[in-house]
Amino acid sequence: MSAVDITFYINAAIAIYAGWRVFVTDSMVRASFFLLISFLAVGVIMLLLAAVYLGVALFFMMAVEMMVMALFMVMFMMNPAGLNPMKMVHQEKVAIAAGVVAFAALSAVAVFGEFPSRTIPEGWQPVVSLGHELLGDSMLVFESAGVTLLATMIAVVMLTSHRGRYGDANHGSRPPGLEPGGDPADKPEETEEGGHHHHHHHH
Amino acid sequence: MTSTLLIASACTVLLALLVGAYCVAAIDGAITARVTGQTPGNPLLIPLQNAARLWHAPHNETETPDRPALRLAPVLYLVLAAMGLALVPWSRDFVPVDLTTGIVFWGAIEPLATVLVFLKGWAPNAHFPLLGAYRYVSLGLSYILVSMFVLIGVALPAESLQISAVVDTQAELWNVVRQPLGLPLFLVVGLGVSFWGPLNFIDADDLHGGAASEEAGRVQLLWSTGRAAMLLAFSAIAASAFLGGWHGPWLPGPVWLILKTLAVVVLLVILGHTLPRVSPERFLTIAWVILLPLSFLSLAGAGVEALL
Amino acid sequence: MTLPTLLIVSAALIGIGIYGTLSQQSFVMLMMGLELILNGAMLAAVSFWALTAAGAPEGQLLTIIAMAVMAIEMAMGFALVVAVYRAKQADTTEALDGLKH
């Protein structure tokens, strides 16, 4: 077994293990960094496959993305540090079945499929050819991706604006009930009583 | 690459990292003594004394820390610094890692460093470190883009993302002359990536020391070594990208690289002592409203120059 | 490092991603599942590019586009999480059951 093979198997194991840990760890911040580790391992495999630009691009894209992901985890999730055990899943059996079926089907394609074997020729420069493709024949595709990203930025600013279409974005917002259809989770009862009192006084 | 060359490269990088980190600490001590007017001792010995003191100091334990992150983050930060230093060409023939996308790889080291510095503040599970970590992430997200544009500007005249090719284009004219905006902008990035001086948002004094308030002993020693090593790796990259790297008359290439790297280190340490410390929100405004458009301008200038 | 082993690794990543996407209640965790699916897809694309396409640049282009899709998915996902949180003060998919009743 060559050094390349050993590096590949180690990184493949890391990618799959870290990808699995994302959904079983209690700590949400750890979950996003496990996903980062999975991406970094895939990036190393891409480097082994001579995709020198894509592997490195994956490193910096995912480092920034997962950093932002971790911040959102801390902002929105309860228990971001995983100090209490937690499991927030629904339809888990269906999900496991779907995952296993997808893995089995794709692996069957990988094992039984017939693919041509045409490796990268000696002296081929992947980065140079990618650059010529991006700013040559496929410029329209590349520029469309750029315009789509710009449209995304505008849409994201619109969606996250405090000012909604009909007044404040959080106007009339109620926290969800403790049980489906129940009372809001974090509204203390005094507020409602105070409201009644106020109503009575006016009469 | 033969295995001898591989081992020689690894040894060179590690030795340069250790000696360089010591040099950075010594330079910092000397300049601090100069700025404050107090000489607490021999600046050549102070880094060693500090290291010995921290090595034997007791460990500080917070309540339910994120232990793997606490232990791994400083080590990985040091590894990132070593990876950055490995990209730097020492002469025409000796480049430890001559990656065809070396410039992009350095661009990947910066956000990965941001992640690790966030973990430095996250791991102790304490109030001030976490606030420092949040401040640092806001800083990191704003300097990464500046760094990317400046580095693309350097890659344009070379028509390559390889650092050795970038150095080769500077045989006659250094990039610092060709793109005068590039180096000043890049120095801000250097202060950010090694959280040095006014950009040390994570250990901020107004946060009671931030993440440093919960650190002691060997963890603190590792982090201070890592910062010094990162400052050194950044300076070596900046010297290669803007100051012609190993090019220079009379002296051999590696000597020129070391001299230029140390010059950038001295400049950064002086800047760290003299630049005013701004509040995080004001720095974000400066970064997005002034530095980022300036880096655009620098890149556009480099593009026009490449076309002419 | 042969094509079948590479594809099996990417199949495993896609399988885990599908599990995560279908089972997680939190939007942010759900997005992690989507990211993992795209991770596997990119690995498969690069493997096909390197081992069956003789270095045709379109294979790398496909991966670049997948990365752009990933960035768009992240940005839109976070924007929707913020918008849903403003409206419902929750970040779980169960909060969006308005059309069920």
Side-chain angles (χ1 to χ4, degrees):
Chain A
M1 215 194 268
S2 68
V4 172
D5 276 332
I6 294 168
T7 321
F8 164 68
Y9 283 115
I10 291 172
N11 278 290
I14 292 174
I16 295 171
Y17 175 74
W20 169 65
R21 291 298 300 175
V22 169
F23 299 109
V24 291
T25 180
D26 287 329
S27 161
M28 294 298 109
V29 169
R30 265 190 218 171
S32 45
F33 290 132
F34 272 124
L35 189 56
L36 174 60
I37 292 170
S38 177
F39 273 111
L40 293 183
V42 169
V44 173
I45 297 177
M46 285 185 183
L47 290 184
L48 294 180
L49 287 168
V52 195
Y53 181 79
L54 295 173
V56 178
L58 200 63
F59 290 165
F60 72 75
M61 288 254 321
M62 288 310 129
V64 178
E65 281 199 25
M66 291 308 128
M67 191 64 254
V68 177
M69 190 81 113
L71 292 193
F72 269 76
M73 283 294 187
V74 180
M75 274 193 276
F76 286 107
M77 301 284 287
M78 61 287 271
N79 192 24
L83 299 179
N84 302 309
M86 188 191 76
K87 193 159 189 179
M88 278 178 66
V89 291
H90 50 203
Q91 53 186 12
E92 202 188 6
K93 281 180 185 146
V94 182
I96 291 176
V100 170
V101 168
F103 170 68
L106 290 171
S107 307
V109 173
V111 174
F112 300 114
E114 298 242 329
F115 301 108
S117 172
R118 282 181 304 215
T119 49
I120 298 171
E122 280 297 309
W124 181 258
Q125 291 175 304
V127 183
V128 175
S129 76
L130 174 64
H132 282 293
E133 180 71 20
L134 284 183
L135 298 176
D137 290 344
S138 301
M139 199 166 190
L140 186 64
V141 181
F142 187 50
E143 292 299 318
S144 309
V147 173
T148 316
L149 280 167
L150 179 66
T152 309
M153 283 189 234
I154 296 169
V156 163
V157 173
M158 292 292 293
L159 270 174
T160 51
S161 166
H162 276 289
R163 284 171 294 156
R165 202 166 161 193
Y166 310 105
D168 278 348
N170 54 0
H171 179 72
S173 162
R174 275 176 99 240
L178 282 174
E179 63 266 11
D183 282 335
D186 64 343
K187 280 269 169 70
E189 264 183 50
E190 289 97 325
T191 343
E192 212 167 353
E193 276 183 8
H196 271 288
H197 215 79
H198 189 70
H199 189 72
H200 195 74
H201 193 76
H202 264 284
H203 269 280
Chain B
M1 194 192 281
T2 59
S3 56
T4 358
L5 193 58
L6 197 70
I7 293 166
S9 305
C11 290
T12 314
V13 169
L14 288 180
L15 193 68
L17 199 74
L18 276 179
V19 176
Y22 164 75
C23 288
V24 171
I27 289 170
D28 185 45
I31 289 176
T32 312
R34 191 71 182 269
V35 169
T36 57
Q38 294 168 332
T39 38
N42 187 349
L44 289 177
L45 286 180
I46 288 176
L48 300 176
Q49 288 164 348
N50 277 342
R53 179 176 57 78
L54 287 174
W55 182 261
H56 291 291
H59 183 64
N60 185 23
E61 187 77 8
T62 49
E63 196 183 343
T64 56
D66 191 339
R67 220 170 290 268
L70 196 68
R71 297 214 172 121
L72 275 177
V75 178
L76 291 179
Y77 189 77
L78 203 54
V79 170
L80 277 187
M83 285 166 124
L85 198 60
L87 297 170
V88 177
W90 289 74
S91 69
R92 189 182 302 283
D93 307 311
F94 185 58
V95 191
V97 179
D98 200 11
L99 202 63
T100 35
T101 49
I103 292 273
V104 194
F105 197 85
W106 175 260
I109 284 177
E110 286 168 0
L112 286 170
T114 308
V115 169
L116 293 175
V117 179
F118 170 79
L119 284 179
K120 169 183 158 83
W122 167 261
N125 186 26
H127 190 71
F128 288 124
L130 186 64
L131 283 177
Y134 263 70
R135 286 186 181 186
Y136 186 80
V137 172
S138 64
L139 165 75
L141 293 182
S142 40
Y143 75 66
I144 285 167
L145 277 176
V146 176
S147 157
M148 290 274 177
F149 286 123
V150 168
L151 287 177
I152 296 170
V154 175
L156 269 180
E159 299 186 4
S160 168
L161 295 169
Q162 206 163 3
I163 297 188
S164 52
V166 171
V167 175
D168 279 341
T169 51
Q170 302 177 69
E172 277 93 46
L173 188 63
W174 292 358
N175 275 337
V176 69
V177 185
R178 213 180 274 159
Q179 300 168 17
L181 276 175
L183 186 60
L185 288 171
F186 200 49
L187 288 179
V188 178
V189 174
L191 290 178
V193 73
S194 50
F195 47 109
W196 203 273
L199 297 189
N200 190 354
F201 282 6
I202 181 146
D203 302 331
D205 289 337
D206 56 329
L207 283 180
H208 202 279
S213 63
E214 299 290 352
E215 269 165 17
R218 291 176 195 180
V219 175
Q220 199 184 352
L221 176 64
L222 263 179
W223 272 114
S224 54
T225 315
R227 282 175 78 202
M230 189 57 94
L231 194 77
L232 177 87
F234 170 83
S235 303
I237 294 279
S240 301
F242 289 100
L243 299 177
W246 52 267
H247 281 293
W250 311 305
L251 296 171
V255 179
W256 271 116
L257 179 73
I258 291 168
L259 286 177
K260 288 170 181 173
T261 304
L262 289 181
V264 179
V265 168
V266 170
L267 188 60
L268 279 174
V269 172
I270 291 176
L271 282 178
H273 278 292
T274 49
L275 283 181
R277 182 184 282 273
V278 291
S279 64
E281 64 269 27
R282 189 176 291 174
F283 179 79
L284 284 201
T285 313
I286 294 172
W288 288 93
V289 177
I290 301 172
L291 300 183
L292 191 62
L294 279 180
S295 67
F296 267 134
L297 209 65
S298 173
L299 179 58
V304 170
E305 202 230 326
L307 282 180
L308 290 180
Chain C
M1 192 168 61
T2 56
L3 188 63
T5 50
L6 281 162
L7 290 182
I8 287 172
V9 172
S10 76
L13 290 172
I14 292 174
I16 298 170
I18 287 177
Y19 159 73
T21 313
L22 290 180
S23 71
Q24 296 296 315
Q25 288 183 309
S26 159
F27 280 117
V28 191
M29 291 299 283
L30 190 157
M31 277 158 62
M32 290 203 179
L34 291 176
E35 299 265 309
L36 214 51
I37 295 175
L38 284 169
N39 192 14
M42 285 194 301
L43 179 60
V46 171
S47 318
F48 278 121
W49 165 78
L51 299 176
T52 69
E58 287 86 353
Q60 293 196 71
L61 179 76
L62 180 66
T63 318
I64 293 264
I65 298 298
M67 280 187 194
V69 168
M70 206 178 238
I72 291 169
E73 177 253 318
M74 282 281 284
M76 289 308 286
F78 284 138
L80 286 173
V81 173
V82 172
V84 168
Y85 196 83
R86 288 237 165 88
K88 300 274 180 182
Q89 301 187 23
D91 81 323
T92 56
T93 47
E94 270 81 2
L96 291 182
D97 55 357
L99 287 179
K100 269 190 178 174
H101 305 301

